[in-house]
Each structure stands twice: as C-alpha cells, then as structure tokens.
C-alpha cells in the first residue's frame, strides 16, 4: 500500500451535514441552494425511480451547469455499472464537469473492490471519486478501496449493509460496529473524509441526535441526511462545542507555557497534555474556522 498517507481526519472542507437530494426533483434541487448543509449528494441511484433515471441525469447535468451551490461539497451519486444507467451516468457527469459544471466528485455505489472504482475512472478520467461503503465485500476490502488513487471520501450505506448482513435495526447499532469500524480505520489510514449512514426516521429528532453523537464519537466527519429537517441536529452534533474550543485554547496556552520553560507535558483540568493533544486541539480550532468560513461564504 504505497499511497498510505498521514491521516488528516477533518480535512479543510466541513462535512457535518451531507444531504441526499433526488436528482429527479427539480423543486428540491432548487431549494437546496438555500439549505444549511455542508455537502450535497445529488442522487441518481436509489432516490430515483427507474422510469425517471434518464430524465434525472439530463436534469442534473443541466442544473449543475448553471446553478450556484456555493462552497458546499457537491457529489453526484451515479447508478452502479451492473445497471443499464451506470456507465452513461458516469460519462454524462464527466462531460458536464469538462464543460464547467461544479461537481467535486462522483459517488460510486456499492463499491466492493478497487476494480469498481477503476471502471468509473476509465469513463471519468481525472475526476475525484467517493465510495459508498455498503456491501459485506466492501467492508472486507475497505483498505484496498481506501488506497485507490482517485478516492477522496467514503459514505457509509447502512441500509444496504443491514440488508446484506440480515441484521435488525437497533438504536445502539451494535450489528453495524464491525463494518463502521473497518471503514473508519481504512479512511483514516489513507487521509480520506468519511461520513456516516442515514437515519431513516426523519421526523425523530431525538433518535437522530443520538445516532449523530455516536457517529461523531466514533470519528466520522458528519452524517448523510435525507430531509432538511435533519440538518440542524447534524450541524450541531459534528461541530466543535464552545466548551471543546475553550479547552483546546487552554491546552495550547498551557503547553506553550510548559515548553517555553523546557518541559514537554502540561496539565489542564487534571489531565496530561502532550504534543499529540496539541495536534488535536489545533485541528479542532481549524475545523471551527472552516465551519465559520463556510457559513460566511454560503
Ligand atoms: N433535499 C432537499 N429538499 C428536500 C428534501 C431533500 N432531500 N426532502 C424534502 N425536501 C423539501 C421538499 O421539496 C419540501 O419543499 P417545499 O415545501 O419547499 O416544496 C420540503 O423539503 C418539505 O418536504 P416534506 O413535504 O416534509 O417531505 P416530502 O414528503 O416532500 O419528502 C422524502 C420526504 C423522504 C420522500 C424526501 O425527503 C426524500 O426524497 N429524501 C431523499 C431520499 C433519498 O435521497 N434517499 C436515498 C438515500 S438514502
Ligand atoms: Mg445503497
């Protein structure tokens, strides 16, 4: 694995809230320009009915050629290459990007091996890719997938994963932990962004908050969402809190003071602070700054 990178957990692009928008719904596509989401997945796959696939592809290429979605990360989820639409989706998005459409990456569904990404890269050369991690084979091949030179991020597809596993919904997501953990390890080892799966009960704010907090505590950069009503909860859960920022500033100040006096370990609130904690503290401040900059620009 020659491309192993130093992990860059948060990167510079906030990805707290990643909203799926059906590529067939013109009204939703329009509305999304004013929504407080850090990233958008324009979907041609599961959110679009078979009879609407071709029209959605054309609509999306047209909308993305003209509309301004600001500094948000913009992904297009294409259909799989085992369907009749996948190859033309990839080719159409590559053409749209070549003619100036602002698409940051193609999101490839059901990636089970690096070869699935190679196939898309042939039709969309030079285009950044993201991978839906949602098959059992994909979990087992997470490292090889993460090592793909065009890959920039991973999205957990927990509904498909549950279907393949034959697992049941549990609020604690115990059946998901092995897969989530493997993908997190792979993403971090290769410096990729990684966002958690969706919470299906989109009116259940409390359940969503609990799942966001679990994903945040595990290390995810954000959560994929299906409805605008879920945005505020994800944005809050994945942003550094005021208390965390305050602690980070105090850790940096205390550590600076100790190192100026020739020491290497500070103590803040009864806990040791070493250089590695300072790296985390600075990353947290950078993340808050990036979130602030996105809000200003958006
Ligand atoms: N993105 C942008 N806008 C959305 C949206 C989305 N994902 N979901 C709903 N909206 C908009 C609606 O267009 C509506 O706007 P309007 O009132 O200005 O017309 C508003 O939010 C309220 O929508 P609401 O009536 O509450 O929901 P709905 O019945 O229109 O849609 C869903 C509910 C679940 C069908 C819809 O949210 C959806 O299709 N989500 C995406 C599903 C998806 O992408 N699945 C694949 C990944 S798991
Ligand atoms: Mg899926």
């Amino acid at each position: 694995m020659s491309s192993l990178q130093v992990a860059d957990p948060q990167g510079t692009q906030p990805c707290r809230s990643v909203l799926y928008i059906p590529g067939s719904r013109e009204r939703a596509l329009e509305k999304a320009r004013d929504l407080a989401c850090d990233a958008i997945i324009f979907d041609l796959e599961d959110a679009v009915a078979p009879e609407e696939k071709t029209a959605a592809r054309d609509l999306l290429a047209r909308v993305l050629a003209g509309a301004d979605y600001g500094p948000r990360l913009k992904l297009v989820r294409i259909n799989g290459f085992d369907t009749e639409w996948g190859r033309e989706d990839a080719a159409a998005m590559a053409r749209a990007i070549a003619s100036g459409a602002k698409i940051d990456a193609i999101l490839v569904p059901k990636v089970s091996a690096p070869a699935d990404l190679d196939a898309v890269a042939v039709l969309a050369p030079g285009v950044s890719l993201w991978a839906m991690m949602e098959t059992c084979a994909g979990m087992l091949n997470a490292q090889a997938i993460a090592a793909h030179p065009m890959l920039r991020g991973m999205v957990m597809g927990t509904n498909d994963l549950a279907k393949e596993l034959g697992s049941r919904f549990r609020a604690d997501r115990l059946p998901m932990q092995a897969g989530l953990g493997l993908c997190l390890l792979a993403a971090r080892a290769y410096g990729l962004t990684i966002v958690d799966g969706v919470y299906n009960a989109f009116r259940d704010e409390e359940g969503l908050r609990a799942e966001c907090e679990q994903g945040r505590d595990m290390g995810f950069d954000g959560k994929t969402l299906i409805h605008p009503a879920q945005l505020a909860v994800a944005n809050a859960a994945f942003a550094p809190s005021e208390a965390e920022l305050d602690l980070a500033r105090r850790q940096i100040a205390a550590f600076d003071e100790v190192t100026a006096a020739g020491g290497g370990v500070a103590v803040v609130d009864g806990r040791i602070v070493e250089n590695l904690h300072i790296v985390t503290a600075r990353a947290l401040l950078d993340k808050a700054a990036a979130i602030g900059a996105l809000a200003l620009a958006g």
Side-chain angles (χ1 to χ4, degrees):
M1 299 294 164
S2 58
S3 60
L4 194 66
Q5 300 169 6
V6 175
D8 173 19
Q10 309 307 336
T12 49
Q13 178 95 34
C15 259
R16 296 167 298 166
S17 49
V18 182
L19 181 65
Y20 281 101
I21 304 187
S24 51
R25 286 182 64 178
E26 198 158 5
R27 172 93 191 100
L29 291 173
E30 202 172 299
K31 194 181 164 80
R33 277 183 252 174
D34 303 318
L35 292 174
C37 51
D38 289 350
I40 298 175
I41 297 174
F42 298 99
D43 193 19
L44 295 174
E45 200 216 16
D46 283 352
V48 177
E51 56 274 16
E52 293 186 307
K53 295 279 191 193
T54 309
R57 180 198 297 144
D58 295 344
L59 172 67
L60 204 50
R62 181 162 52 78
V63 167
L64 291 175
D68 183 7
Y69 286 91
R72 300 178 184 88
L73 187 74
K74 295 162 278 291
L75 310 176
V76 174
R77 183 166 77 167
I78 61 172
N79 288 284
F81 278 20
D82 56 343
T83 72
E84 63 185 274
W85 308 286
R87 286 169 194 281
E88 186 44 34
D89 286 348
M93 291 310 134
R95 283 196 300 273
I97 292 168
S99 25
K102 294 195 181 73
I103 300 169
D104 295 302
I106 289 177
L107 174 59
V108 185
K110 300 187 176 67
V111 177
S112 289
D116 298 334
L117 298 173
D118 288 338
V120 177
V122 167
L123 292 178
V127 175
S128 295
L129 302 178
W130 279 52
M132 289 298 305
M133 301 300 289
E134 52 188 345
T135 67
C136 294
M139 302 302 112
L140 296 173
N141 291 327
Q143 181 178 359
I145 293 166
H148 194 280
M150 293 313 294
L151 201 71
R152 299 291 173 268
M154 291 180 159
V155 176
M156 296 309 308
T158 40
N159 280 327
D160 269 302
L161 186 59
K163 179 177 150 221
E164 276 208 10
L165 284 171
S167 63
R168 293 188 183 182
F169 173 81
R170 286 176 53 123
D172 64 4
R173 294 200 296 174
L174 198 59
M176 290 284 125
Q177 291 305 308
L180 296 175
L182 283 170
C183 293
L184 271 163
L185 288 165
R188 293 305 178 218
Y190 289 84
L192 304 175
T193 299
I194 180 165
V195 293
D196 202 354
V198 299
Y199 187 70
N200 293 338
F202 60 91
R203 305 273 180 219
D204 170 13
E205 204 174 298
E206 213 171 296
L208 173 67
R209 185 174 297 109
E211 214 176 88
C212 283
E213 288 174 357
Q214 183 195 40
R216 174 201 63 199
D217 291 354
M218 288 179 73
F220 285 102
D221 293 306
K223 194 155 181 74
T224 43
L225 308 171
I226 47 182
H227 192 280
Q230 297 183 308
L231 290 171
V233 170
N235 282 340
F238 287 94
S241 68
E242 269 314 312
E244 287 170 325
L245 292 171
D246 175 62
L247 177 62
R249 288 187 202 102
R250 289 189 294 119
Q251 286 176 328
I252 292 167
F255 192 74
D256 281 350
E257 203 172 304
V258 162
T259 47
V265 183
V267 178
V268 174
D269 296 349
R271 293 184 173 85
I272 58 162
V273 177
E274 298 172 331
N275 195 41
L276 68 101
H277 301 111
I278 297 306
V279 173
T280 305
R282 289 197 197 286
L284 200 77
L285 295 179
D286 289 349
K287 185 179 181 184
I291 289 168
L294 188 74
L296 281 178

